[in-house]
Amino acid sequence: MQPYELSLTAAAAAIRSRQLSPVELTDSVLDRIAQREPHLGAYVTVTAERARASARAAEREIAAGRHRGPLHGIPMGVKDLIDVAGVATTASSRVRAGHRAQADSTVAARLAEAGAVLLGKTHTHEFAYGLTTPQTRNAWDQGRIAGGSSGGSAVAVAAGTATFALGTDTGGSIRVPAALNGVVGLKPTYGLLPRRGVTSLSWSLDHVGPITRTAGDAALVLAALTGHDARDPASVPAQAQAQTTDYRPDAGTDLAGLRVGVPRTYYFDHVGPETEAAVRLAVDRLQALGARLVEVEIPMTRYIQATQWGLMVPEATAYHEDTLRTAPELYQPDVRILLEAGELMTAGDYLRAQRSRTLMRQEWARLFRDVDLIAAPTVPMTAVRAGEETVTWADGTVESVSDAYVRLSSPANITGMPSLSVPVGQDAAGLPVGMQLLGRPFEEDVLLRVGHAYEQTRPARAPAPGRAARRTPPDAMMSL
């Protein structure tokens, strides 16, 4: 196994025990970037010399006994919405050409403090306003979409060109590409991770979160990033957050006593048969580990998409108001259309969406009185081919690809509850399928525990493209 194949958890253990150096790991990942990046397009900018210098500094510190923790010396990427001092933040847009961040975002500063090694900035759908990330190709099939908007981050982790990465999630933008590329994506509770220095799409829906290879990896990144930031108005004060800051799941797999909600409707409506089969098998595995399955009815389903778009579209347009008037030609056509559509929405439309969100939060809170978490598909289908704009379901219903991908992920953004996507299998074409776990606010530890338990007992997966079949330990990646 090459160093770039290691999960964060495995790499951190090897570095701490001096079996692997940060320089060796970083060089391995940079070599992998040189090999795969021309085919995948995951990165906007690769900061190779900066990464090597950071790795050398980490190696010296660790040798001197100053080990900062599990992220020390680990190479990672951040989505190109997240400011890092001295590095361009372009939001993958001509609008931001030449823009260079003057200061670290809060999350970038916390990663630096933890000793993580920045590899570069990963591509996003322009200003995170889309579900495909057209500049980037799927890690499993280059003819298919990467998913978005954090497509670059997900592909980098899946392809071994980053050990972990940060993304943002406004309607599913961490979980959708994680599911489509066979990696783990966590959207934390709204306000848990600060967003200062992160370019906004929709301020009341935006979240920052990790994309990793395992649930245990996600726990390590989350622990390094949590904490109140008074400079972010949405940041939740420490006393209102969960008591734990150690999200690492137990080694055991016993889920006895845990109540897992399985939706009767919505999450399994208009879902591809292979996706549904893989997720239901995964849910059965949770039951085999001791969880009790409880059928649940998802509330207010007819209002979910209208509420998501009713909040996101006007907020996005307000953010881009000046540039939309002075240089609209700099936006890609799909993003410009959405921004211009926001100018047609009335204050009444926006207020109705806000009222709907309030009611939806109340109804979901009632739902969680009967269950501890909900298990469902992350997205209704695997990655579509690049350029496909619609999907036709068995009953003849035609749905846009964007609506299809956001449909199952957006409830977590509207309500602010945490959601974790874990890979649970592949379809007949070998494309990854993701299962989404949704939980109560600030109960990320529950989701990570369940995701970890599933990972430890899942059947051996098929090999990734370009690799011979072999049984891979749960904490190691299936490289491409």
Side-chain angles (χ1 to χ4, degrees):
M1 178 180 293
Q2 298 299 313
Y4 73 79
E5 297 181 82
L6 294 171
S7 69
L8 166 54
T9 302
I15 287 173
R16 188 175 185 87
S17 65
R18 310 289 180 87
Q19 295 176 328
L20 177 69
S21 77
V23 171
E24 182 183 2
L25 176 59
T26 299
D27 283 344
S28 177
V29 177
L30 287 172
D31 288 346
R32 182 67 170 171
I33 289 174
Q35 176 191 10
R36 298 300 298 152
E37 182 58 17
H39 307 287
L40 297 175
Y43 283 91
V44 181
T45 302
V46 177
T47 54
E49 291 310 309
R50 174 179 178 146
R52 291 189 175 98
S54 296
R56 290 192 295 269
E59 186 172 73
R60 289 193 297 270
E61 286 188 346
I62 293 168
R66 297 192 298 273
H67 187 261
R68 302 191 195 184
L71 302 192
H72 202 178
I74 302 295
M76 55 84 194
V78 299
K79 186 176 182 177
D80 195 28
L81 299 180
I82 299 172
D83 282 350
V84 176
V87 181
T89 305
T90 72
S92 295
S93 175
R94 292 180 298 172
V95 174
R96 285 283 188 88
H99 173 80
R100 193 169 293 273
Q102 300 302 306
D104 280 346
S105 59
T106 301
V107 290
R110 289 178 179 175
L111 288 176
E113 178 64 24
V117 173
L118 178 70
L119 295 164
K121 293 292 198 72
T122 56
H123 263 303
T124 172
H125 201 117
E126 185 178 32
F127 282 104
Y129 213 171
L131 274 297
T132 62
T133 316
Q135 312 92 323
T136 305
R137 291 166 288 286
N138 189 281
W140 291 75
D141 182 340
Q142 294 167 35
R144 295 180 184 270
I145 65 167
S149 62
S150 306
S153 290
V155 168
V157 174
T161 60
T163 303
F164 75 91
L166 293 191
T168 64
D169 193 311
T170 304
S173 290
I174 287 172
R175 293 158 291 151
V176 170
L180 299 186
N181 289 279
V183 292
V184 170
L186 173 65
K187 184 204 78 66
T189 304
Y190 183 77
L192 181 62
L193 299 191
R195 303 170 305 173
R196 185 191 66 84
V198 179
T199 302
S200 177
L201 172 58
S202 173
W203 70 270
S204 73
L205 298 169
D206 291 341
H207 302 66
V208 177
I211 296 176
T212 60
R213 293 177 191 150
T214 71
D217 290 359
L220 296 178
V221 181
L222 182 65
L225 298 179
T226 53
H228 178 61
D229 182 357
R231 297 165 295 181
D232 176 3
S235 181
V236 177
Q239 61 270 25
Q241 299 179 14
Q243 296 302 308
T244 182
T245 56
D246 184 357
Y247 296 95
R248 288 175 296 182
D250 296 334
T253 60
D254 185 6
L255 301 182
L258 199 72
R259 301 168 300 171
V260 175
V262 182
R264 294 190 190 95
T265 56
Y266 193 71
Y267 280 96
F268 289 101
D269 295 340
H270 289 151
V271 169
E274 291 177 299
T275 295
E276 178 172 356
V279 172
R280 290 198 183 276
L281 280 174
V283 171
D284 289 344
R285 182 161 292 276
L286 299 183
Q287 185 179 37
L289 295 175
R292 179 163 65 90
L293 304 186
V294 181
E295 281 197 341
V296 295
E297 197 78 32
I298 301 301
M300 299 180 65
T301 57
R302 63 181 293 191
Y303 301 106
I304 289 173
Q305 286 185 282
T307 302
Q308 171 72 23
W309 292 105
L311 294 167
M312 182 173 65
V313 172
E315 289 181 0
T317 298
Y319 182 87
H320 290 272
E321 184 176 17
D322 290 343
T323 313
L324 191 59
R325 285 179 166 78
T326 58
E329 71 282 357
L330 296 180
Y331 292 96
Q332 294 299 315
D334 62 326
V335 172
R336 178 177 172 179
I337 288 169
L338 287 170
L339 292 173
E340 290 174 340
E343 295 188 315
L344 304 177
M345 297 188 71
T346 67
D349 294 331
Y350 182 64
L351 290 174
R352 279 186 284 274
Q354 291 281 18
R355 290 170 183 157
S356 177
R357 169 162 54 192
T358 298
L359 294 173
M360 210 171 289
R361 282 174 171 166
Q362 293 171 349
E363 291 300 317
W364 277 84
R366 291 190 186 97
L367 177 59
F368 278 108
R369 293 174 185 172
D370 300 320
V371 296
D372 299 302
L373 74 157
I374 291 169
T378 306
V379 288
M381 57 198 177
T382 54
V384 300
R385 295 193 181 279
E388 288 187 17
E389 296 183 355
T390 62
V391 56
T392 302
W393 298 108
D395 64 359
T397 300
V398 178
E399 186 176 28
S400 74
V401 167
S402 292
D403 281 348
Y405 282 137
V406 79
R407 172 161 44 89
L408 304 186
S409 54
S410 61
N413 297 87
I414 296 168
T415 61
M417 61 189 171
S419 177
L420 176 73
S421 179
V422 294
V424 294
Q426 297 165 318
D427 67 9
L431 300 171
V433 175
M435 175 174 68
Q436 179 178 199
L437 304 175
L438 303 102
R440 300 186 189 95
F442 305 111
E443 291 193 2
E444 283 80 1
D445 58 324
V446 176
L447 303 184
L448 291 165
R449 173 192 164 206
V450 175
H452 178 74
Y454 172 79
E455 289 173 344
Q456 301 310 298
T457 61
R458 67 187 171 199
R461 291 182 291 173
R467 289 292 297 274
R470 63 182 173 91
R471 192 172 183 86
T472 304
D475 65 346
M477 84 174 267
M478 301 292 285
S479 73
L480 304 171

